[in-house]
Amino acid sequence: MDSQAEVATADDDKPEIGLGDLLAPVRGSLILACALQAIGSLAGVIPFIAVAELGRELLDDADSDRLWTIVIVAAVALVVRIGFFFAAAGVTHFADNDFQLAIRRRIAAHLGSLPLGWFDDHDAGDVNKLMADDVAAMHPIVGHTFIDITNTAVTAIASMVYLFVIDWRMALITLIPFVAGLGLYGLMMSGYTERMETYNQSLADVNSASIEFVQGIAVVKTFGQSGRAHDRYRTSTSGFISSFWEWVKGLLRVASLSDLVLSPLATLTTISAAGIFFVDRGTLSIGDLLVFLSIGLAMTAPVLTLGFAANDMQIAGAAAGRIAAVLATPPLPQAADPIVPATNELRLDGVSFGYGEDAPVVLHDVDLSFEPGTLTAVVGPSGSGKTTLGRLLCRFWDPTAGSITLGGVDLRDIESAEMYRRVGFVFQDVQLIRASVADNIRLARPDATMDQVRAAARAAQIHDRIEELPGGYEAVVGEGATLSGGERQRLSIARAIIADTPILVLDEATAFADPESEAAVQDALSTLVAGRTLIVIAHRLSTITGADRIVVLDAGRVVESGTHQELVDAGGLYSNQWAADSRVRTEVG
């Protein structure tokens, strides 16, 4: 059937999200801060001018009243500079707080709209880096960079205007260190992004080799391969050192030269040499030379901050790119006019699916129906597409062809909340949130009472273990609550029990259970599946012999379907797998 769901925007039509778009919520604050900084920077030039004017006046035997006037103006300007500097910094830092809150909320809201399948390729570490590290990496650009650039620009322009009024020749000479320093910084930053990517890749290789060596040390020593493991680590570290040195070696010469050119000594030397030349010829007064010696330092000093600003811009730009890539990921399409299904019959009609436009197709033209109240097992060799099928039923992704319907309504035409009230799942990779055990259980029903939470935990055979935790049901997962694989599975089953969905998809829920808790998990599942439509993605054939129907997948296609005995008698793929499993069980037994 045709879906009413809104189609996600094609990749070519996706709007580009740049650094400017991310900074849009605080643009007004940044403009205000730059205006305040500009005033403060103008005031900051005045003390330098005052020092120069004092020198000129003293050489001309000025009266004390004029000298005191200059001193008072300089003092007032200094106070104004400090006041406006702190005002600008205060505005940017408050803006940064608002920005980080807004961008984290925006990311969180967008993550909540993405297909569940997106999280299969991006683990908690990726999300944490995005929400914490990448957002924090943008602090310098919001809190400091724009006002630093404003300070440099305004100071340089104001100083040069004043110097050109005094003597245009000396003004041009004073520009030499300034322009040379800017040019050297530009040369130093050219190709920075590419070099930084190489550095990050080398560092990632070292981290990977370190983790691989530490985690596998017992295995490699057991098989006498510690030398090979050491070689892998040494190769990675040598590669990192080489790439880092190549990068730094090229920067050292330019950085040293730029620091030398912009140093106070170089500036004073350049101005003094030119000034003495003009003074000797009588075309420049000593008082005017003092002006250039004083103001010249005011020009070159702020340029040193541009190097830090450029570095911050590069880091923030890279972080913004990663954030933008996630924000540009199309959300799960939602129906414009949601339909509520009348029944809970689940069907697949001509379903095909691939994980991307250029990726191979995982499922091919699958037709299946799941009658209410029945148990259907989906089996097949590794890579046959059974787990992908289970996730499609829970709308982790949408089919690339065909449709999946619930009660005759395409899943894309059903509101997500309504669909997940009808379709639940318990997968191998249990996902628990950093919250209390009780909140983890009541995730699908936040209004559930503690009595209901405890009842679900008892049915899932996990209540006694929870009571043993420090804090019991209030223990926080990942902090006070440490649970084994089987215990985490039973906690997820308690969550599914309290959700009480009429359709349940299980992906070998006992796969990660320890032997002691496997029986408890099986008992919990017996309670969970009563009266529901159950779809089991099975990896062990011995667990699904009593299924109403067994569907066999191979290379993404349905190749067999029937009861256990029918499939054994048919002598096909299932029969061969059953015979192989039986031999293994016999040998192990």
Side-chain angles (χ1 to χ4, degrees):
M1 63 177 290
D2 293 333
S3 171
Q4 299 172 0
E6 298 173 354
V7 180
T9 307
D11 288 344
D12 293 340
D13 299 328
K14 285 192 301 187
E16 291 292 331
I17 301 175
L19 183 58
D21 298 301
L22 296 178
L23 294 175
V26 294
R27 184 173 293 131
S29 296
L30 292 177
I31 292 173
L32 172 61
C34 288
L36 294 172
Q37 182 64 58
I39 297 172
S41 299
L42 283 172
V45 175
I46 293 176
F48 289 93
I49 296 176
V51 170
E53 291 296 328
L54 280 175
R56 298 175 73 186
E57 293 295 332
L58 289 171
L59 290 174
D60 293 338
D61 297 324
D63 62 75
S64 60
D65 288 342
R66 176 155 176 81
L67 294 176
W68 277 110
T69 300
I70 294 174
V71 170
I72 291 172
V73 169
V76 171
L78 185 61
V79 171
V80 170
R81 180 193 183 283
I82 294 173
F84 276 86
F85 170 80
F86 280 108
V91 170
T92 58
H93 281 76
F94 278 115
D96 181 59
N97 288 336
D98 293 339
F99 167 77
Q100 294 204 26
L101 177 61
I103 200 68
R104 285 192 173 103
R105 284 178 171 173
R106 182 177 175 184
I107 293 170
H110 190 71
L111 290 176
S113 71
L114 294 180
L116 293 177
W118 184 87
F119 296 93
D120 281 355
D121 299 323
H122 302 80
D123 59 21
D126 295 330
V127 175
N128 179 70
K129 184 180 185 305
L130 186 77
M131 296 283 281
D133 298 344
D134 286 341
V135 175
M138 297 181 70
H139 161 74
I141 196 172
V142 178
H144 304 281
T145 301
F146 287 106
I147 57 176
D148 286 346
I149 293 174
T150 299
N151 178 49
T152 299
V154 171
T155 299
I157 292 171
S159 299
M160 286 312 302
V161 168
Y162 178 72
L163 293 181
F164 268 100
V165 170
I166 301 299
D167 189 293
W168 66 269
R169 301 165 305 167
M170 284 296 296
L172 289 175
I173 292 171
T174 304
L175 273 175
I176 292 174
F178 180 81
V179 173
L182 284 179
L184 288 170
Y185 266 113
L187 178 64
M188 187 170 60
M189 297 307 297
S190 64
Y192 179 90
T193 302
E194 293 76 11
R195 290 194 295 266
M196 193 66 185
E197 288 178 355
T198 302
Y199 167 81
N200 286 333
Q201 184 57 54
S202 298
L203 186 59
D205 289 342
V206 171
N207 290 335
S208 175
S210 301
I211 294 171
E212 177 184 312
F213 179 74
V214 172
Q215 291 181 341
I217 187 63
V219 175
V220 298
K221 290 188 72 172
T222 299
F223 291 95
Q225 297 297 316
S226 55
R228 181 179 297 178
H230 276 102
D231 288 342
R232 160 92 167 92
Y233 178 74
R234 278 195 296 266
T235 300
S236 298
T237 52
S238 297
F240 169 72
I241 293 171
S242 297
S243 64
F244 180 73
W245 176 240
E246 285 299 317
W247 179 20
V248 172
K249 186 169 60 176
L251 293 179
L252 281 176
R253 292 188 290 269
V254 181
S256 299
L257 185 58
S258 63
D259 288 343
L260 177 62
V261 169
L262 292 169
S263 66
L265 180 61
T267 302
L268 290 174
T269 300
T270 302
I271 296 173
S272 297
I276 292 172
F277 175 82
F278 289 124
V279 169
D280 281 345
R281 281 156 180 73
T283 59
L284 183 72
S285 69
I286 295 178
D288 289 344
L289 176 58
L290 291 176
V291 171
F292 284 93
L293 290 173
S294 174
I295 304 300
L297 295 178
M299 280 189 57
T300 57
V303 178
L304 297 174
T305 64
L306 291 180
F308 298 105
N311 185 59
D312 290 340
M313 288 286 285
Q314 293 281 354
I315 294 173
R322 290 187 290 270
I323 293 172
V326 172
L327 293 178
T329 302
L332 186 71
Q334 298 296 321
D337 299 303
I339 302 172
V340 178
T343 68
N344 293 315
E345 181 186 4
L346 195 58
R347 292 184 57 86
L348 290 85
D349 295 302
V351 168
S352 296
F353 177 76
Y355 286 94
E357 292 182 2
D358 299 325
V361 177
V362 180
L363 293 176
H364 302 266
D365 199 27
V366 175
D367 292 310
L368 286 174
S369 64
F370 305 95
E371 298 296 328
T374 62
L375 190 162
T376 302
V378 180
V379 303
S382 178
S384 60
K386 52 188 181 293
T387 294
T388 299
L389 175 62
R391 279 163 163 70
L392 284 175
L393 294 174
C394 302
R395 209 187 172 198
F396 273 45
W397 306 277
D398 287 329
T400 50
S403 64
I404 303 175
T405 60
L406 180 62
V409 181
D410 195 296
L411 293 186
R412 290 167 288 195
D413 293 331
I414 305 173
E415 188 179 28
S416 292
E418 175 65 27
M419 197 203 81
Y420 289 119
R421 279 193 289 267
R422 295 168 179 261
V423 181
F425 51 86
V426 178
F427 290 153
Q428 295 180 22
D429 49 341
V430 177
Q431 299 296 325
L432 302 179
I433 62 173
R434 188 173 290 272
S436 70
V437 172
D439 285 340
N440 267 278
I441 293 175
R442 60 160 67 98
L443 195 61
R445 286 180 55 196
D447 59 341
T449 65
M450 278 306 302
D451 287 341
Q452 291 171 322
V453 169
R454 290 190 180 92
R458 287 191 180 93
Q461 309 287 317
I462 193 63
H463 171 75
D464 292 340
R465 175 68 182 106
I466 294 173
E467 290 290 337
E468 294 173 358
L469 297 172
Y473 281 87
E474 296 307 314
V476 176
V477 173
E479 295 178 10
T482 303
L483 302 170
S484 68
E487 289 164 351
R488 294 168 68 87
Q489 280 288 7
R490 280 181 277 163
L491 197 64
S492 71
I493 291 170
R495 178 191 292 168
I497 289 173
I498 209 168
D500 196 26
T501 58
I503 301 172
L504 185 65
V505 180
L506 297 176
D507 188 358
E508 197 63 83
T510 63
F512 294 152
D514 46 275
E516 291 77 9
S517 63
E518 182 171 355
V521 173
Q522 292 287 10
D523 290 342
L525 289 174
S526 298
T527 302
L528 176 61
V529 303
R532 291 178 170 81
T533 301
L534 185 62
I535 303 160
V536 178
I537 311 300
H539 301 265
R540 289 181 289 182
L541 302 186
S542 60
T543 63
I544 47 87
T545 55
D548 296 308
R549 182 177 54 149
I550 299 172
V551 175
V552 184
L553 289 180
D554 188 25
R557 301 180 186 276
V558 177
V559 294
E560 292 182 290
S561 178
T563 65
H564 167 73
Q565 195 57 53
E566 289 172 346
L567 294 176
V568 169
D569 294 341
L573 177 60
Y574 180 87
S575 178
N576 294 334
Q577 283 191 308
W578 176 255
D581 286 358
S582 298
R583 285 194 298 272
V584 171
R585 288 194 301 273
T586 301
E587 292 171 0
V588 172

